[in-house]
Amino acid sequence: MGGPRRRPETPAERRARFDADEVHSLRERVAEARWRRRLALRRSIDHSYRVGVGIVGGLVVALGLITIPLPGPGWLTVIAGLFILATEFTWAERLLAFTKRHVARWTAWVGAQRVWVRLLIGLATAASVYGILVVGLHLMGVPEWVPGWVPLWR
């Protein structure tokens, strides 16, 4: 699973790599857009916009973190919040790239496993989601809109 670890890329090396193959980061592509350049001309508007992006992105990430243990798109919401933050902040862009790399590694690892291992992972995931749902309904109570035949605590 582990090979030799690469040393982290320095900022100068990263800039050189992006300059060499003309790859632009998400933040750079947004900054080059005409509407964003117009906002950047006025410092107060630019600062307010960045604060607004930080607040909205932070709230989306916080909502995602809260909903991770619940059934639903918790991680997807966190990644969407990071995507929002990455349009303006370099640290969020690096964190989003880190997340993409690890999700790709996990997906490749699961894809390389035998069918029975993938089924076991799927069953473990389904069992944990079911357990979280049952415990959550037990702690918060079953809503009134749930039909009476559902065999949970009332």
Side-chain angles (χ1 to χ4, degrees):
M1 182 163 142
R5 298 194 90 167
R6 293 186 312 184
R7 69 175 177 79
E9 190 176 45
T10 65
E13 291 170 335
R14 188 172 23 259
R15 276 192 299 276
R17 183 172 52 86
F18 279 108
D19 290 343
D21 60 4
E22 298 179 8
V23 172
H24 295 287
S25 68
L26 173 65
R27 186 180 43 78
E28 291 170 334
R29 286 191 308 245
V30 169
E32 290 171 0
R34 193 173 76 188
W35 65 270
R36 186 61 184 98
R37 285 196 313 261
R38 287 183 60 209
L39 284 179
L41 291 175
R42 302 214 20 219
R43 188 173 182 178
S44 61
I45 293 175
D46 186 47
H47 183 71
S48 300
Y49 175 77
R50 287 177 56 88
V51 168
V53 167
I55 289 171
V56 170
L59 288 174
V60 172
V61 168
L63 178 69
L65 290 173
I66 290 168
T67 60
I68 283 173
L70 302 174
W75 282 111
L76 186 63
T77 308
V78 170
I79 291 171
L82 282 176
F83 185 78
I84 293 169
L85 290 169
T87 62
E88 287 296 316
F89 303 105
T90 305
W91 63 266
E93 194 167 30
R94 286 193 309 262
L95 186 57
L96 189 60
F98 172 83
T99 304
K100 285 179 186 178
R101 278 194 315 271
H102 284 278
V103 167
R105 264 184 45 199
W106 168 253
T107 304
W109 181 83
V110 170
Q113 300 305 307
R114 295 179 182 221
V115 173
W116 69 269
V117 174
R118 286 185 271 166
L119 287 172
L120 195 60
I121 291 170
L123 285 172
T125 302
S128 64
V129 168
Y130 178 76
I132 290 168
L133 181 65
V134 168
V135 169
L137 287 174
H138 179 66
L139 293 176
M140 295 185 299
V142 179
E144 292 299 321
W145 53 265
V146 174
W149 56 266
V150 174
L152 292 174
W153 303 277
R154 283 212 171 259

